[in-house]
C-alpha cells in the first residue's frame, strides 16, 4: 500500500534487523546512469543491445567492442562517483546496529566508499579485475588506464572485470548469504531497482515479515504485495527518514 514518509521513518526507527536490497537507481544521484529508466543505459542507441554487449559470449567474441562500451558507459561514470545521502544513511543505520546487510545488484562499490561493511554484491564489482589466463588481479584504474583497446596482462591474457555478465551464474556463497539475511530480516527495504532481472529479483521473495518497504522512483512489479510503497528519489527520501 502507498505509505507516507512518517510511516516508513517509524518502521525504520523501531527496527534493529533491517536488510537493504538495492539496484542501479541508488547510483543515479551519484551521476551513474541506471539501465532501464527513460534516460538509462538501455534506452540509448548502440550498435548492439547493451544486454548483449554485457554478456559473456560478447566479451569473448568482441572484447574490443565490449571494452569500448564498458569503459565509456560503466567505468568512467563510476571511477569518480561519490556516495550520495542514501549510501551514507545506510552506513549510519549499520553503525547504529540497525541495518544488518546490504544486498546490491550494483558493481560501483559506492556502499563501501560510504563506509558500509556488510555489502553483498550479487553481480560482482568493477573494482576487481582478473587475467583470464593466469589469474593475476588488477584494479579498476589498471583497466581504465590501459592504453590497449583490450586490457592485457603481462602474460598476454585478456583482463576481465569481476562482474557477473549475462549468461554467467551468480556466486553461490553470496547468494546463500543474501537469502539468509533477507529471510531472517524483520524489515526489508527495496530501493532503486526495477526488480526485473533474475535470479536477483527473486531473492526478495524469501522475506517473511510484514515490514516490506519500497522506495523507488518508478513502479515495480507486484507492488500490491509490498507493505509500504513510496515513489521518490532515494537520496531525497533518506534525507527525510534518517538523520546522520
Ligand atoms: N531513487 C530511487 N529510484 C530510482 C532513482 C533514484 N534516484 N533513479 C532510478 N530509480 C529507479 C528507477 O525507477 C528503476 O525502477 O531505479 C530502478 C533502476 O532499475 P534498472 O535500471 O533496471 O536497474 P536494476 O534494477 O539495478 O537492474 C538490475 O540489470 O542489467 C542488469 O546487471 C544489471 O544489476 C543490473 C540489473
Amino acid at each position: 500500500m502507498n505509505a507516507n514518509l512518517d510511516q516508513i521513518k517509524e518502521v525504520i526507527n523501531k527496527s534493529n534487523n533491517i536488510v537493504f536490497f538495492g539496484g542501479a537507481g541508488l547510483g543515479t544521484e551519484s551521476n551513474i546512469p541506471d539501465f532501464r529508466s527513460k534516460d538509462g543505459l538501455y534506452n540509448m542507441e548502440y550498435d548492439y543491445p547493451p544486454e548483449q554487449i554485457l554478456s559473456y559470449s560478447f566479451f569473448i567474441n568482441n572484447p574490443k567492442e565490449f571494452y569500448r562500451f564498458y569503459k565509456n558507459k560503466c567505468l568512467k561514470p563510476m571511477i569518480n562517483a561519490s556516495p550520495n545521502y542514501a549510501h551514507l544513511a545506510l552506513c549510519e543505520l549499520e553503525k547504529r546496529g540497525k541495518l544488518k546487510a546490504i544486498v546490491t545488484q550494483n558493481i560501483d562499490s559506492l556502499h563501501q566508499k560510504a563506509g558500509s561493511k556488510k555489502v553483498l554484491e550479487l553481480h560482482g564489482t568493477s573494482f576487481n579485475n582478473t587475467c583470464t589466463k593466469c589469474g593475476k588481479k588488477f584494479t579498476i584504474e589498471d583497466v581504465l588506464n590501459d592504453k590497449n583497446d583490450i586490457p592485457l596482462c603481462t602474460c598476454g591474457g585478456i583482463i576481465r572485470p569481476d562482474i557477473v555478465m549475462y549468461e554467467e551464474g551468480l556466486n553461490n556463497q553470496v547468494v546463500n548469504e543474501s537469502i539468509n539475511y533477507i529471510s531472517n530480516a524483520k524489515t526489508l527495504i527495496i530501493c532503486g531497482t526495477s526488480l526485473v532481472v533474475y535470479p536477483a529479483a527473486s531473492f526478495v521473495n524469501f522475506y517473511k515479515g510484514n515490514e516490506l518497504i519500497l522506495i523507488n522512483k518508478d513502479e515495480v512489479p507486484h507492488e500490491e504485495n509490498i507493505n509500504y510503497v513510496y515513489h521518490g528519489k532515494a537520496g531525497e527520501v533518506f534525507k527525510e527518514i534518517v538523520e546522520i
Side-chain angles (χ1 to χ4, degrees):
M1 72 182 186
N2 284 328
N4 62 46
L5 292 186
D6 288 338
Q7 290 169 309
I8 293 174
K9 186 172 181 176
E10 189 182 354
V11 171
I12 289 174
N13 284 345
K14 285 182 180 167
S15 182
N16 286 315
N17 180 0
I18 302 169
V19 172
F20 179 88
F21 182 91
L26 236 73
T28 57
E29 291 165 87
S30 295
N31 302 315
I32 300 178
D34 68 10
F35 299 98
R36 295 172 183 83
S37 285
K38 58 182 181 312
D39 56 350
L41 271 186
Y42 294 173
N43 290 316
M44 296 176 189
E45 285 304 310
Y46 303 103
D47 301 343
Y48 305 88
E51 286 102 320
Q52 181 184 346
I53 299 174
L54 293 172
S55 69
Y56 181 70
S57 49
F58 193 93
F59 170 75
I60 292 295
N61 298 318
N62 309 282
K64 186 176 172 187
E65 269 300 300
F66 170 89
Y67 269 112
R68 193 167 67 86
F69 176 90
Y70 177 68
K71 278 186 172 182
N72 287 321
K73 300 299 177 188
C74 298
L75 293 192
K76 283 181 182 159
M78 224 183 264
I79 191 77
N80 298 315
S82 303
N84 60 59
Y85 195 93
H87 298 100
L88 299 171
L90 292 168
C91 177
E92 181 63 25
L93 289 176
E94 182 183 51
K95 280 180 187 161
R96 293 179 195 165
K98 294 169 69 61
L99 182 127
K100 301 303 177 194
I102 289 171
V103 179
T104 184
Q105 300 168 88
N106 297 344
I107 57 177
D108 58 28
S109 282
L110 283 178
H111 289 296
Q112 292 91 329
K113 280 186 183 175
S116 290
K117 299 289 179 250
K118 193 63 192 171
V119 182
L120 294 160
E121 294 169 305
L122 292 173
H123 293 161
T125 174
S126 293
F127 284 70
N128 299 328
N129 302 269
T130 307
C131 171
T132 53
K133 200 167 166 190
C134 72
K136 185 179 174 187
K137 295 297 179 186
F138 293 86
T139 66
I140 188 171
E141 292 80 8
D142 292 331
V143 171
L144 256 182
N145 301 332
D146 191 304
K147 295 289 172 269
N148 300 302
D149 290 336
I150 303 166
L152 295 176
C153 174
T154 44
C155 79
I158 294 178
I159 299 169
R160 67 154 290 167
D162 292 358
I163 62 172
V164 178
M165 298 179 196
Y166 278 101
E167 302 163 3
E168 291 189 304
L170 278 58
N171 174 292
N172 285 332
Q173 191 265 325
V174 173
V175 168
N176 293 336
E177 202 174 351
S178 300
I179 290 173
N180 188 45
Y181 275 107
I182 291 171
S183 54
N184 289 304
K186 179 173 186 291
T187 311
L188 179 65
I189 303 173
I190 300 173
C191 181
T193 178
S194 56
L195 281 184
V196 296
V197 172
Y198 286 79
S202 67
F203 300 154
V204 301
N205 299 326
F206 285 92
Y207 175 67
K208 299 190 283 271
N210 59 2
E211 293 182 354
L212 181 55
I213 297 169
L214 173 78
I215 297 169
N216 207 62
K217 190 162 59 80
D218 298 317
E219 277 197 39
V220 302
H222 309 304
E223 282 193 3
E224 67 280 357
N225 301 331
I226 298 176
N227 304 107
Y228 302 90
V229 173
Y230 188 86
H231 291 130
K233 294 176 73 171
E236 294 171 6
V237 168
F238 273 98
K239 270 200 186 107
E240 298 296 318
I241 58 179
V242 177
E243 202 172 317
I244 294 176

